[in-house]
Amino acid sequence: MKKIISIIVSATIFLMSGCSSVHEPVTTIPLYTETTTVGDVVGTIEGDRYISHAGGIAYKLTGDYRAEWFDTDKRNILMNDYTGIDIAGPCFVWEKRATLKIDYVLDEQLKEDATKEHTLEEWNKTLKYPAKSIEYVKDYKMDGKSCFAIKTVLDRDGYDVSTLQIYYFQDNGLLVLITITARSFKEIDKIVKNLQVA
């Protein structure tokens, strides 16, 4: 749970410029541990769209953003040989506006811990900034699919920071963890509208 909470803390406070809906289908490939690489799961940017065919998720990129990629040296490792508990996907940053971070969780215990409710007091013990409110949403809708989500408002030096974490469980065993941080949930909703899942 600490690793998942640290994703919230590490997200920078930003708001995103306006987004339009996207209707291109997400094309997927099967996840075979003998042939699928970490890079296949992490995905790529294809034109104006981020897509992970193995992860079954896509995002229509708009506005002036930068993409940050982590652990690029691990991209060629086969899933059979990968020993991590998660795979760090990209982080899209809109300067002083919003961040969108996509990660792929492999560890069963982390998956279970991710969906356990914690009190505000327990969250505040692990967060860098105090949480003003936490809401657990058992039936959050993303691209027409139901997901578990956590909405959090943090107090960052007197300013409210809104964070949404979406837990999307794939049939192939991956948990796609999407973390969006912005100044308001209205701005976060604009980002969610551009997310697609298979």
Side-chain angles (χ1 to χ4, degrees):
M1 188 65 188
K2 288 181 183 176
K3 182 158 183 77
I4 291 170
I5 290 172
S6 72
I7 294 170
I8 293 175
V9 177
S10 66
T12 319
I13 326 171
F14 300 118
L15 274 183
M16 179 177 183
S17 56
C19 303
S20 59
S21 294
V22 63
H23 298 289
E24 276 182 69
V26 178
T27 56
T28 60
I29 59 170
L31 195 155
Y32 299 118
T33 58
E34 304 85 16
T35 57
T36 303
T37 66
V38 170
D40 293 329
V41 174
V42 168
T44 59
I45 294 176
E46 298 175 6
D48 63 351
R49 192 174 184 218
Y50 161 75
I51 190 162
S52 168
H53 297 286
I57 187 164
Y59 181 75
K60 171 81 170 170
L61 293 158
T62 62
D64 188 15
Y65 69 90
R66 79 173 183 274
E68 298 176 355
W69 299 89
F70 306 94
D71 300 330
T72 53
D73 59 323
K74 298 177 182 173
R75 289 183 74 92
N76 293 325
I77 299 174
L78 291 173
M79 292 299 291
N80 253 357
D81 301 325
Y82 187 71
T83 57
I85 58 175
D86 65 352
I87 296 173
C91 181
F92 299 102
V93 179
W94 291 265
E95 281 304 328
K96 300 182 182 175
R97 306 207 90 154
T99 60
L100 165 65
K101 179 81 173 83
I102 300 173
D103 294 293
Y104 302 90
V105 179
L106 310 170
D107 183 82
E108 292 301 322
Q109 184 63 49
L110 265 182
K111 291 178 191 178
E112 184 181 331
D113 288 347
T115 55
K116 287 181 181 174
E117 292 192 17
H118 296 270
T119 67
L120 196 59
E121 183 180 329
E122 288 171 329
W123 276 75
N124 280 331
K125 288 177 186 174
T126 57
L127 293 172
K128 182 176 179 182
Y129 301 107
K132 294 174 76 172
S133 68
I134 295 174
E135 178 187 355
Y136 300 92
V137 185
K138 295 184 193 283
D139 191 27
Y140 184 84
K141 297 291 185 203
M142 176 182 63
D143 194 27
K145 309 271 181 169
S146 290
C147 309
F148 176 76
I150 301 174
K151 290 181 165 186
T152 310
V153 176
L154 303 176
D155 179 356
R156 184 175 185 221
D157 304 324
Y159 295 96
D160 284 356
V161 179
S162 299
T163 300
L164 174 69
Q165 282 194 306
I166 303 169
Y167 299 81
Y168 181 61
F169 291 89
Q170 293 281 42
D171 292 338
N172 61 13
L174 285 177
L175 162 59
V176 182
L177 176 61
I178 302 158
T179 305
I180 306 167
T181 303
R183 291 185 193 156
S184 71
F185 287 111
K186 181 179 178 182
E187 294 300 324
I188 286 174
D189 289 343
K190 291 179 185 177
I191 296 170
V192 173
K193 284 179 185 174
N194 279 355
L195 282 165
Q196 287 182 280
V197 289

